[in-house]
């Protein structure tokens, strides 16, 4: 799973979000490192919808403009949990091997 | 109703590059995000933002966000095939001098002239068309048109014939670099065939294009 995809799914893990909200959440989760642009975001959202990992929660009109909220599907939640566990296991293994070198505490 | 700002007009012009059906469903929403993320007082769409949108538009046209993984990888390979076809053209151009000196050691200048006109010039002239065909088939396969797979088979047949002719003629007509480039192109074509005829990819070609 690409990092942007992982971060988008993570942004939706605790509730539905609209496009701008996802960009802001991803920036926050990544500590400001990843700033999604609109073109990248909507290509990823389209892919995730086709793969059945996210769905549209609701739509609103705010100041005359469409705001669409996205949510994780059960399949998306499952995939995110599996990916998070995989990353955690990898990180744990790396940290265990780095510990004797004294570069991590 | 208020007049759209210059910034909004700029974004709309870039968004016009997306496929019509995608625009109908998403344009207003993307526009809202673009305007919300734009710095205050900004009058023109930024270069990086436009490049990102154009990249997204190309992916949408090639069906890269909707196709299953094997088709997605096949589309990437077909784009690489277009680049490689142009690389073959470049290697022929670069190696033309050494090819000529090797050739005229065994044959006359008049024979070289004939070979140039009948075999090398057609290769040079057809390479840009070939690259265009690779890109066109990348688009058609990405969209899942049912004729796209047989059409790619036909292209692969031509690539195979070209390679076999090249191998048959040996280095008397082709420099080793040309044969290597043609072999790589053939391998790319073979990988595409495997991907687009895979079990996961096949249902994608059996859908109505409107669903894709």
């Amino acid at each position: 799973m690409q990092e942007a995809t992982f971060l988008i799914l993570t942004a939706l893990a605790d509730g539905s979000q609209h496009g701008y909200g996802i960009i802001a959440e991803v920036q926050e989760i990544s500590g400001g490192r990843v700033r999604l642009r609109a073109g990248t975001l909507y290509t990823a959202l389209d892919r995730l919808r086709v793969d059945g990992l996210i769905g549209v929660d609701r739509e609103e009109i705010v100041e005359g403009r469409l705001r669409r909220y996205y949510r994780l599907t059960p399949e998306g939640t499952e995939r995110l949990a599996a990916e998070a566990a995989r990353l955690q296991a990898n990180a744990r293994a790396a940290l265990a091997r780095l510990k004797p070198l004294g570069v991590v505490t | 109703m208020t007049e759209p700002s210059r910034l909004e007009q700029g974004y709309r012009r870039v968004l016009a590059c997306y496929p019509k059906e995608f625009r109908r469903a998403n344009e207003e929403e993307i526009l809202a995000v673009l305007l919300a993320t734009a710095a205050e007082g900004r009058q023109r769409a930024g270069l990086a933002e436009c490049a990102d949108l154009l990249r997204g538009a190309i992916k949408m046209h090639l069906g890269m966000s909707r196709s299953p993984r094997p088709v997605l990888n096949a589309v990437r390979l077909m784009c690489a095939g277009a680049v490689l076809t142009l690389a073959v053209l470049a290697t022929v151009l670069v190696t033309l001098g050494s090819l000529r000196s090797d050739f005229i050691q065994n044959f006359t200048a008049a024979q070289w002239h004939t070979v140039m006109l009948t075999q090398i010039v057609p290769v040079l002239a057809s390479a840009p068309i070939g690259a265009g065909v690779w890109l066109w088939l990348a688009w058609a396969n990405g969209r899942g048109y049912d004729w796209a797979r047989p059409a790619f088979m036909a292209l692969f047949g031509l690539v195979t014939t070209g390679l076999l002719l090249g191998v048959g003629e040996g280095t008397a007509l082709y420099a080793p670099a040309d044969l290597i480039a043609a072999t790589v192109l053939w391998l790319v074509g073979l990988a595409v065939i495997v991907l687009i005829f895979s079990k996961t990819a096949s249902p994608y070609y059996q859908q109505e294009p409107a669903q894709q």
Side-chain angles (χ1 to χ4, degrees):
Chain A
M1 188 183 282
Q2 289 184 349
E3 189 185 18
T5 308
F6 178 80
L7 290 170
I8 291 170
L9 294 179
T10 305
L12 297 174
D14 60 355
S16 62
Q17 285 282 358
H18 53 80
Y20 180 68
I22 296 172
I23 291 175
E25 284 278 311
V26 164
Q27 199 165 356
E28 194 190 317
I29 295 163
S30 66
R33 195 172 44 82
V34 178
R35 188 186 171 277
L36 290 176
R37 293 185 189 279
T40 305
L41 173 69
Y42 281 92
T43 307
L45 290 178
D46 198 54
R47 171 102 235 163
L48 291 169
R49 279 170 74 175
V50 172
D51 288 347
L53 302 185
I54 65 166
V56 174
D57 189 51
R58 63 187 191 280
E59 290 178 355
E60 288 176 356
I61 302 291
V62 179
E63 293 170 1
R65 295 198 187 278
L66 176 70
R67 186 175 278 185
R68 192 175 278 149
Y69 285 80
Y70 298 90
R71 58 167 170 72
L72 275 187
T73 61
E75 196 188 340
T77 309
E78 208 172 287
R79 281 282 294 279
L80 177 63
E83 184 65 10
R86 192 185 68 83
L87 292 174
Q88 190 182 36
N90 285 350
R92 201 182 296 128
L95 291 170
R97 285 168 185 237
L98 286 169
K99 210 171 179 182
L101 304 176
V103 286
V104 289
T105 51
Chain B
M1 200 174 163
T2 54
E3 279 287 302
S5 66
R6 202 170 149 196
L7 181 63
E8 181 176 334
Q9 286 174 346
Y11 282 138
R12 279 197 193 277
R13 271 195 291 275
V14 186
L15 288 169
C17 299
Y18 277 81
K20 207 189 286 177
E21 64 272 28
F22 179 82
R23 237 168 48 225
R24 202 179 302 125
N26 300 289
E27 183 171 353
E28 292 307 314
E29 187 191 350
I30 299 177
L31 190 65
V33 171
L34 286 166
L35 294 172
T37 51
E40 205 165 320
R42 190 173 198 170
Q43 293 290 306
R44 299 178 68 167
L47 203 63
E49 204 83 73
C50 290
D52 180 61
L53 288 170
L54 287 174
R55 201 165 45 234
I58 291 168
K59 284 184 175 177
M60 289 295 163
H61 278 292
L62 291 175
M64 291 173 81
S65 71
R66 305 209 151 204
S67 49
R69 290 285 161 191
V71 179
L72 175 68
N73 290 332
V75 168
R76 285 179 178 146
L77 282 173
M78 282 183 250
C79 292
V83 174
L84 268 170
T85 304
L86 294 176
V88 171
L89 170 71
T91 53
V92 170
L93 284 173
V94 168
T95 56
L96 207 54
S98 66
L99 196 63
R100 184 180 184 278
S101 51
D102 286 350
F103 191 90
I104 57 172
Q105 279 175 7
N106 303 313
F107 301 94
T108 64
Q111 282 174 315
W112 167 252
H113 186 69
T114 309
V115 165
M116 266 297 280
L117 280 180
T118 58
Q119 307 209 29
I120 296 175
V121 170
V123 168
L124 296 178
S126 62
I129 299 167
V133 172
W134 277 88
L135 286 179
W136 173 58
L137 291 177
W139 168 81
N141 278 277
R143 307 280 288 185
Y145 290 115
D146 54 1
W147 52 266
R149 289 195 295 179
F152 188 81
M153 282 288 284
L155 175 68
F156 185 63
L158 286 175
V159 172
T160 307
T161 309
L163 179 65
L164 290 175
L165 284 175
V167 171
E169 297 283 354
T171 49
L173 187 58
Y174 295 91
D178 302 334
L179 283 180
I180 291 168
T183 307
V184 172
L185 191 65
W186 183 82
L187 287 171
V188 168
L190 183 66
V192 169
I193 295 282
V194 170
L195 288 167
I196 61 179
F197 283 95
S198 67
K199 211 187 279 180
T200 328
S202 290
Y204 183 63
Y205 291 92
Q206 284 146 19
Q207 297 174 51
E208 287 296 312
Q211 286 176 267
Q212 290 158 13

